[in-house]
Amino acid sequence: MHHITLDNETDFDGWRKAARALALNDVKPSDVSWRVADDAPELFEPTAPPLEPPPGTFNVPAKFVELAEAAILHRNPERFALLYRLLWRLRQNHDLLDIATDPDVAEVAAMAKAVRRDEHKMHAFVRFREVGREQNSHFVAWFEPEHHIVELAAPFFARRFADMPWSILTPDVCAHWDGHAVSITPGVSKSEAPTTDRLEETWRRYYASIFNPARLKVTAMQNEMPKKYWRNLPEASLIKPLIESAERTASAMIANAAIEPHKSQKRLEPAKVQDMARNHDDDDLETLREEAAGCRACPLWKDATQTVFGEGPQTARIILVGEQPGDKEDLAGKPFVGPAGQMLDRALEEAGIDRSTVYVTNAVKHFKFVPRGKIRLHQKPNTPEIKACRQWYERELAAIKPDLVVAMGATAAQSVFGKITPINKNRGRLIDLDDGTRALVTVHPSYLLRLPDADAKAREYQRFVQDLKIAADVLRKSAHAA
Ligand code: URA
């Protein structure tokens, strides 16, 4: 039996070196046991001398290294053995990773996915609390990750909060940033983390302002912000009262509803029936959202807080596409909740479109910005970023199969048409797309916000509403036809 002791829970280099030596010496997975240095040693183990790799090499697919680097951070104590078994089998079958149903492949892929999801949750749910004031202030957060992801997630916080010294304390290890480098120290207990400060109230006010009772979906919300994170979030104390008050509002609306159903409810029924008949091989939006949370197809994920996926019912007949999430959307994890979103809400209402019945998304799903002091300045996404993100738009489109896609602005138009598409030349008319869907091009609501001249702003806003009325007309016709 070969007993391998790794330096720590995240010792990928140690695992790789040992696995290579074992494989080159033809040591079967069943003849190896793995543990971490600070685990209690088992008594009276028969040991074999440490192995040196004999001369020779072997190659594994790059995808295996990528998967193993993530999966090794999983808390499952069997992960080292499982990865060695997969490596051993890959030597016999180089294409093994393509067999998604193979139990070892599936388990490693699920572990890597869980780790990436945990990293994403850490990016989204770490809340720093200020300790000390002015020159001496230091920002400290308490977090309980599910897996061993602190070292993986720390560079994100170093980039994002480059100009403030911070520490993230966890029971496993702690990460610290002094403005120059990240350092890692042993874990601590929760009692060592501060609990309140003057930033708390700001977070609570921000959360209350972005909470939209009309779009409340408790299950989806709890999936995105699982309860176990609530206890460390300043805004958590607001969640229960906000949900209760949204439910009270909804019950009052139902109780007061006229005997005749509302127009929009009537319109929705055929779409629901159509949805039941749909091909369920298609992606489900919640699954897509989960997958997109770990997207690394372009570098924008590195500085953004989270992927901002589209939002709205799978039965929507219209998809509205914007450019990319802004500062507010990046923090909230929802599209069009900031100033451009408010402008869009107003215009939709004037055009006679109920936002809760349409699907709202962006061509690019991570916020691109440059830091300018305390502000994050929006940057237009470039063509490689738009192309890298298009897969998500295509899959949203395939999942929803709308009658109409509304491209708002040049970036959206480039994604929807798959090529640069001038706005003014194509604006305000229905254009057939190859897949039978129709598209409508219009301006982006941020363009209206930026117009300095009040008259031009009012005029352009009216044109925007007129464009959306074309979409409202399509919506009415598709409801009649269904
Ligand atoms: N601008 C966009 O294009 N999308 C958003 O979600 C917000 C602002």
Side-chain angles (χ1 to χ4, degrees):
M1 195 69 173
H2 293 265
H3 299 286
I4 308 296
T5 303
L6 300 174
D7 286 349
N8 53 57
E9 297 284 357
T10 60
D11 183 10
F12 181 68
D13 287 342
W15 176 87
R16 179 147 70 172
K17 203 162 151 246
R20 190 168 165 274
L22 290 163
L24 284 171
N25 281 289
D26 280 328
V27 179
K28 289 206 255 2
S30 54
D31 291 340
V32 188
S33 81
W34 299 84
R35 69 158 178 256
V36 171
D38 39 6
D39 288 352
E42 285 165 37
L43 295 176
F44 311 119
E45 289 165 337
T47 53
L51 287 175
E52 285 303 321
T57 57
F58 62 93
N59 289 326
V60 289
K63 192 175 163 203
F64 173 73
V65 180
E66 206 181 291
L67 270 178
E69 271 177 328
I72 212 154
L73 305 181
H74 199 280
R75 215 173 273 277
N76 182 347
E78 298 304 319
R79 64 197 184 281
F80 307 117
L82 172 62
L83 285 169
Y84 181 56
R85 191 164 68 235
L86 192 54
L87 176 81
W88 175 265
R89 295 182 57 209
L90 271 168
R91 292 189 71 199
Q92 267 105 56
N93 177 1
H94 194 264
D95 298 327
L96 181 61
L97 293 182
D98 296 337
I99 308 172
T101 51
D102 179 276
D104 289 343
V105 173
E107 193 173 355
V108 169
M111 285 184 351
K113 188 171 170 193
V115 164
R116 291 195 190 108
R117 187 174 158 80
D118 200 30
E119 181 196 7
H120 157 71
K121 294 289 178 214
M122 183 164 171
H123 289 169
F125 296 134
V126 158
R127 297 284 183 273
F128 289 103
R129 294 175 158 100
E130 192 174 3
V131 178
R133 286 281 170 111
E134 264 107 66
Q135 310 301 342
N136 296 321
S137 74
H138 189 96
F139 293 82
V140 182
W142 171 254
F143 192 74
E144 290 163 48
E146 219 164 285
H147 303 293
H148 299 288
I149 53 156
V150 176
E151 286 151 278
L152 177 71
F156 165 85
F157 294 99
R159 284 192 301 274
R160 179 74 185 280
F161 302 107
D163 54 2
M164 67 188 220
W166 53 255
S167 294
I168 302 174
L169 313 181
T170 88
D172 301 322
V173 290
C174 302
H176 313 270
W177 170 252
D178 60 4
H180 302 286
V182 172
S183 57
I184 302 290
T185 58
V188 294
S189 70
K190 187 170 183 188
S191 57
E192 293 181 50
T195 50
T196 54
D197 78 337
R198 61 205 170 89
L199 300 178
E200 206 98 320
E201 191 46 31
T202 315
W203 265 107
R204 270 203 286 267
R205 245 181 285 128
Y206 170 72
Y207 186 78
S209 74
I210 60 163
F211 182 85
N212 182 345
R215 282 187 258 144
L216 177 66
K217 281 200 224 133
V218 179
T219 321
M221 182 170 144
Q222 287 179 357
N223 282 343
E224 274 306 295
M225 193 194 275
K227 268 195 169 163
K228 67 176 180 164
Y229 297 109
W230 290 18
R231 61 178 176 271
N232 297 319
L233 300 176
E235 68 268 33
S237 60
L238 291 178
I239 296 175
K240 204 162 165 263
L242 284 172
I243 291 177
E244 280 166 4
S245 87
E247 282 168 356
R248 272 199 303 279
T249 315
S251 315
M253 281 162 69
I254 291 164
N256 292 338
I259 297 157
E260 182 66 7
H262 187 274
K263 273 190 282 175
S264 63
Q265 285 170 328
K266 273 191 189 163
R267 282 206 307 268
L268 268 177
E269 283 314 313
K272 270 194 199 145
V273 174
Q274 251 179 358
D275 187 50
M276 287 163 70
R278 238 178 223 161
N279 174 4
H280 284 280
D281 291 343
D282 293 338
D283 284 316
D284 158 66
L285 285 175
E286 281 314 310
T287 314
L288 279 183
R289 174 192 299 279
E290 292 233 328
E291 254 186 77
C295 183
R296 305 282 186 267
C298 79
L300 293 184
W301 65 272
K302 288 188 189 159
D303 293 328
T305 306
Q306 54 193 313
T307 306
V308 178
F309 205 65
E311 192 184 56
Q314 189 143 355
T315 50
R317 306 320 309 143
I318 295 188
I319 298 186
L320 297 176
V321 188
E323 181 194 71
Q324 61 159 349
D327 181 75
K328 296 253 183 326
E329 289 80 12
D330 169 77
L331 292 169
K334 288 162 173 289
F336 283 102
V337 292
Q342 283 158 19
M343 174 73 92
L344 175 64
D345 285 351
R346 186 152 72 89
L348 282 172
E349 201 179 327
E350 273 185 51
I353 298 175
D354 175 354
R355 173 161 169 174
S356 69
T357 66
V358 297
Y359 186 80
V360 181
T361 193
N362 283 299
V364 171
K365 291 180 170 51
H366 280 114
F367 179 34
K368 181 177 180 184
F369 63 93
V370 283
R372 283 280 176 278
K374 290 194 168 34
I375 293 174
R376 299 189 294 164
L377 220 55
H378 161 275
Q379 295 277 287
K380 201 172 154 48
N382 59 31
T383 296
E385 289 152 359
I386 298 169
K387 281 190 179 159
C389 215
R390 192 163 191 263
Q391 52 168 323
W392 298 116
Y393 162 69
E394 282 171 358
R395 291 173 72 184
E396 287 172 307
L397 195 65
I400 296 171
K401 300 191 180 65
D403 297 315
L404 179 69
V405 178
V406 181
M408 300 185 292
T411 302
Q414 186 172 347
S415 182
V416 167
F417 290 91
K419 59 179 187 199
I420 291 172
T421 303
I423 302 297
N424 279 332
K425 221 169 102 197
N426 295 291
R427 173 171 193 182
R429 62 191 166 84
L430 296 173
I431 303 172
D432 289 328
L433 295 173
D434 292 344
D435 66 354
T437 316
R438 283 182 296 174
L440 176 69
V441 176
T442 185
V443 292
H444 191 283
S446 300
Y447 157 75
L448 306 172
L449 290 171
R450 284 195 305 267
L451 286 172
D453 166 5
D455 284 349
K457 202 176 214 149
R459 210 173 39 247
E460 282 301 311
Y461 174 76
Q462 279 315 321
R463 277 189 78 195
F464 181 54
V465 172
Q466 287 311 316
D467 289 345
L468 292 178
K469 282 187 176 165
I470 300 173
D473 211 32
V474 172
L475 205 55
R476 267 190 298 276
K477 286 186 182 136
S478 69
H480 280 306

